Amino acid sequence: MLDSLFLSFREGLEAALIIGIILATLSQLNRKHLAKVVGFGTIAGIIGSLILGWGLFTFAQSISHEAEEIMEAVMRIVAAGLIAYFILWLHRNQQVAGKIKGQTEKSSTSKIGLFLLAFLSVIREGMELMVFNMTKISESASTVALGSIIGIVAAALVAYVIFKTTIKLNLSLIFKALGLILVFLGGEMFAEGIVELLETHSEAMEIIFLAVFIVPALFILLKDDVARFRRAA
């Protein structure tokens, strides 16, 4: 349940922070009347995510046990791939808040553009969470669901506190801290998925595949920070 809780917290927090930045930017542009458009896009993204999640879980329940094991292994590798993509995205987009504000300013002249920005931001995180949860299809559905619900509620509360208080928001730092934890979760998913597909339950092989994912991911995530630290030293 802890894996589901953390992953849903990360995905929920990212979505909530993005929506919060969109709303804050609209407020700065004196276009608060467009906030309801963002709200509709957010709700549509949540509903779309739930529908896709329900459909995929329904399909997973209808397949054989052998196929379920293969699907779970494949989903672990896909989930590791999504984490690797997030690490690359974070490396290329150091100023996360500025990027989101820029997208909002471009879309603020169009209700459709704002709706799609909110909708795609939410449903992207929902689909990622759906993939992460599909790596747990052999576990109790109620346990996975409980972890996901707690994580999403916690993420919403944290985002609310951030935007309603004087806490300084450093999205890059928040995402980097979450990224560090994700690197190790992604390495575990990658190693377990490969070992399961190869049907070789060797601890040594799992450690090798774990290192294959973690070492380059940590290098990409931290190399700019290490370079800045060395220049300052």
Side-chain angles (χ1 to χ4, degrees):
M1 188 179 82
L2 289 178
D3 282 359
S4 298
L5 192 155
F6 174 77
L7 289 168
S8 61
F9 175 78
R10 196 213 76 84
E11 299 298 330
L13 183 61
E14 183 174 338
L17 290 176
I18 290 173
I19 296 302
I21 292 173
I22 293 173
L23 293 173
T25 303
L26 288 177
S27 178
Q28 293 171 359
L29 295 172
N30 293 319
R31 292 176 179 169
K32 289 184 179 180
H33 62 284
L34 294 174
K36 62 182 179 181
V37 177
V38 177
F40 290 143
T42 302
I43 293 171
I46 293 172
I47 293 173
S49 299
L50 290 173
I51 292 173
L52 288 172
W54 175 82
L56 194 53
F57 267 99
T58 300
F59 169 74
Q61 290 176 345
S62 66
I63 60 179
S64 65
H65 178 69
E66 292 77 11
E68 182 181 292
E69 289 182 342
I70 294 174
M71 184 177 182
E72 187 170 340
V74 170
M75 283 299 174
R76 283 175 180 164
I77 297 172
V78 172
L82 287 175
I83 291 174
Y85 170 78
F86 170 74
I87 300 302
L88 284 171
W89 177 86
L90 186 61
H91 172 66
R92 294 173 181 173
N93 298 274
Q94 297 291 328
Q95 300 301 321
V96 181
K99 181 178 177 64
I100 298 169
K101 287 180 180 178
Q103 291 176 334
T104 305
E105 289 172 356
K106 290 179 182 179
S107 303
S108 62
T109 56
S110 166
K111 289 184 178 180
I112 295 176
L114 273 178
F115 176 89
L116 288 175
L117 180 60
F119 172 77
L120 293 175
S121 297
V122 172
I123 201 168
R124 181 189 64 200
E125 305 305 328
M127 291 177 67
E128 288 179 6
L129 179 58
M130 175 181 64
V131 171
F132 291 140
N133 282 341
M134 288 302 294
T135 67
K136 309 289 183 183
I137 52 179
S138 62
E139 297 182 12
S140 168
S142 59
T143 300
V144 175
L146 180 61
S148 297
I149 291 171
I150 294 173
I152 291 171
V153 171
L157 289 174
V158 170
Y160 179 82
V161 169
I162 288 174
F163 284 105
K164 288 297 182 179
T165 64
T166 57
I167 296 175
K168 296 295 183 180
L169 181 65
N170 188 332
L171 271 186
S172 295
L173 182 60
I174 292 173
F175 286 147
K176 185 147 292 187
L178 293 172
L180 281 171
I181 301 174
L182 278 178
V183 165
F184 292 96
L185 285 177
E188 182 183 8
M189 290 180 182
F190 178 76
E192 289 179 351
I194 294 293
V195 167
E196 187 67 32
L197 286 178
L198 294 178
E199 297 184 347
T200 170
H201 299 286
S202 165
E203 187 174 341
M205 289 293 291
E206 190 168 335
I207 292 173
I208 290 172
F209 287 120
L210 191 70
V212 165
F213 185 94
I214 289 177
V215 172
L218 284 177
F219 174 77
I220 293 171
L221 182 66
L222 299 175
K223 69 175 183 177
D224 288 344
D225 300 280
V226 172
R228 281 194 293 268
F229 177 79
R230 292 179 64 182
R231 286 195 298 266

